[in-house]
Amino acid sequence: MTGRGPARRGVLTAAAAGLAAAAATAPGAQAAEAPRSGAGRSRWTTSWATAQTAPTATDTVASAGLTDGTFTATVRLSAGGQVRLRYGHAFGTVPVLIGPVTAGGQPVTFGGRQQAWVAAGASLTSDPVAGLRTPDAARLTVETRLPGPTGPLSFHRNTHASHSVDGTRTTSVFLLTGVEVTGAHGPVIAVLGDSIAEGVGTPDDADLRWPDQLARRLPGSAVANLGISGNRVLLDDTRFGPGGQARFDRDVLSLPGLRTVLVHLGVNDLQQPPSQTDPALLLAGYRQLVLRARNAGLRAVGATITPFEGWTRWTPELEAVRQRINAAVRTGRVFDAVADFDAAVRDPDRPSRMLPAHDSGDGLHPNPSGHAALAAAVDRRHLL
């Protein structure tokens, strides 16, 4: 032994400490995640979210993109607090320049700058928005300038809420994927769902989707609605996007502060061609989602598949498959806990269909009363 090893380690340790100190005092260094005196580390959670798909030829704005355009989104938050934004371009092929941006009328920065690039296939998170704190259940307006030309934009087709592109109303959301806050003091939940979670069957701008109504039942909770109309567990679709298994890591596991994922998928596996008629395959898909959730330290709650007699593609054979899947989910050997959505909305005199008072009229999608029944079927104890 020469004795040089410990001395050299001391030099390296001192150098590393010096670099760390320099980084902490460098101009533009962000301290948003640093522990605060008496408060501990700030905890970000997703208060509003949406899941993206790729545009098709019929999605004219998203497929053409914008040049020197402005997209304005007005979103209903669940939990409040300090705010930062998340953008994503999951299906992009080229980077997109974002900014200037305002949220609640306040300027938004990215590493201290008014503009930033979101890379193709990546996400972009803003700095905490200076001067902006929101209460629970606040409505927040986010205005995003896109200098462009952007090329095709990753987007969510229909949020059942009003937004605008250069002053023209749209129900789509372009690039914006989340509003994150620090004030959640209740359950933090991601809803991996289909058109029912997305809000089909409820009026636009009414915030009566069952995830909205669940958030109101649980003050201070943060609920991320990741419903995509037409989405399945097992199969991808050109229009309806990657199935639940394919999008789970990006849409669910990327969310900060998450505690629980609630899975409400499966009816489209049954009723959309090609129909899935083997219950074992769908149950295996559920189990894979549960395994990935548990590996990430999350609780996985499963919802039973709601009745859909009266829908154009319902058959007695598909009903038998639905009943077998629901029976397996109810045993408790698939998910960590169960929300029995089927029992919440079915007609006790004809269990293959929804109670007429809960039916939006198409046999598949609940109306606002049905969405309230679904929200009430979620046990708070299963979300903690």
Side-chain angles (χ1 to χ4, degrees):
M1 298 291 291
T2 64
R4 294 178 181 173
R8 181 171 176 78
R9 283 196 296 271
V11 171
L12 291 173
T13 301
L19 288 172
T25 57
Q30 298 181 43
E33 299 295 344
R36 297 177 181 179
S37 175
R41 187 177 296 275
S42 149
R43 183 167 181 260
W44 291 96
T45 60
T46 300
S47 180
W48 173 89
T50 194
Q52 293 184 329
T53 59
T56 64
T58 59
D59 302 306
T60 54
V61 174
S63 59
L66 296 176
T67 298
D68 195 25
T70 299
F71 167 62
T72 302
T74 301
V75 302
R76 173 74 72 181
L77 305 184
S78 46
Q82 193 174 15
V83 170
R84 69 184 184 187
L85 308 180
R86 179 191 281 199
Y87 292 85
H89 201 15
F91 300 93
T93 57
V94 296
V96 172
L97 182 62
I98 289 176
V101 176
T102 63
Q106 300 298 316
V108 178
T109 59
F110 305 86
R113 299 176 180 272
Q114 290 187 335
Q115 292 182 308
W117 293 90
V118 57
S123 65
L124 171 70
T125 301
S126 78
D127 303 331
V129 182
L132 179 63
R133 294 189 68 89
T134 63
D136 295 349
R139 194 178 289 276
L140 179 69
T141 297
V142 177
E143 186 174 281
T144 304
R145 192 74 176 171
L146 298 174
T150 64
L153 294 169
S154 304
F155 81 133
H156 185 100
R157 184 171 289 108
N158 189 358
T159 63
H160 301 277
S162 297
H163 317 289
S164 68
V165 176
D166 292 333
T168 300
R169 181 183 182 270
T170 179
T171 58
S172 299
V173 167
F174 305 90
L175 297 180
L176 182 69
T177 59
V179 178
E180 299 173 359
V181 300
T182 58
H185 50 86
V188 182
I189 311 141
V191 175
L192 185 69
D194 51 31
S195 58
I196 296 177
E198 187 190 64
V200 175
T202 67
D204 287 356
D205 302 313
D207 301 317
L208 292 175
R209 298 163 289 247
W210 73 259
D212 299 320
Q213 300 200 51
L214 177 63
R216 286 196 289 274
R217 278 188 55 223
L218 306 171
S221 63
V223 180
N225 186 344
L226 306 174
I228 298 178
S229 184
N231 208 230
R232 307 185 189 210
V233 176
L234 299 175
L235 298 181
D236 302 341
D237 186 274
T238 301
R239 181 166 178 78
F240 302 130
Q245 292 187 105
R247 68 186 182 99
F248 189 82
D249 290 11
R250 177 184 66 248
D251 289 350
V252 176
L253 298 187
S254 65
L255 299 181
L258 190 63
R259 294 289 301 276
T260 303
V261 56
L262 196 159
V263 178
H264 186 211
L265 291 171
V267 71
N268 292 319
D269 295 79
L270 303 183
Q271 65 87 19
Q272 277 180 194
S275 295
Q276 177 54 61
T277 58
D278 183 353
L281 291 180
L282 193 56
L283 291 168
Y286 286 155
R287 289 188 176 97
Q288 282 298 307
L289 295 177
V290 172
L291 178 63
R292 288 155 70 185
R294 289 173 178 167
N295 286 345
L298 305 180
R299 173 184 289 268
V301 177
T304 50
I305 301 173
T306 49
F308 64 102
E309 183 182 357
W311 180 249
T312 180
R313 287 190 286 269
W314 181 89
T315 67
E317 293 75 20
L318 293 179
E319 174 64 18
V321 176
R322 185 183 76 89
Q323 293 288 357
R324 290 173 63 188
I325 292 168
N326 283 350
V329 169
R330 287 190 184 100
T331 64
R333 294 194 295 270
V334 179
F335 293 94
D336 297 318
V338 177
D340 200 343
F341 282 7
D342 172 39
V345 298
R346 71 188 177 207
D347 185 340
D349 296 325
R350 192 167 178 173
S352 57
R353 72 176 184 181
M354 263 188 285
L355 196 69
H358 291 331
D359 189 352
S360 68
D362 65 11
L364 175 62
H365 300 100
N367 61 17
S369 169
H371 279 259
L374 297 182
V378 181
D379 190 331
R380 178 190 176 94
R381 295 171 298 177
H382 297 159
L383 305 177
L384 301 175

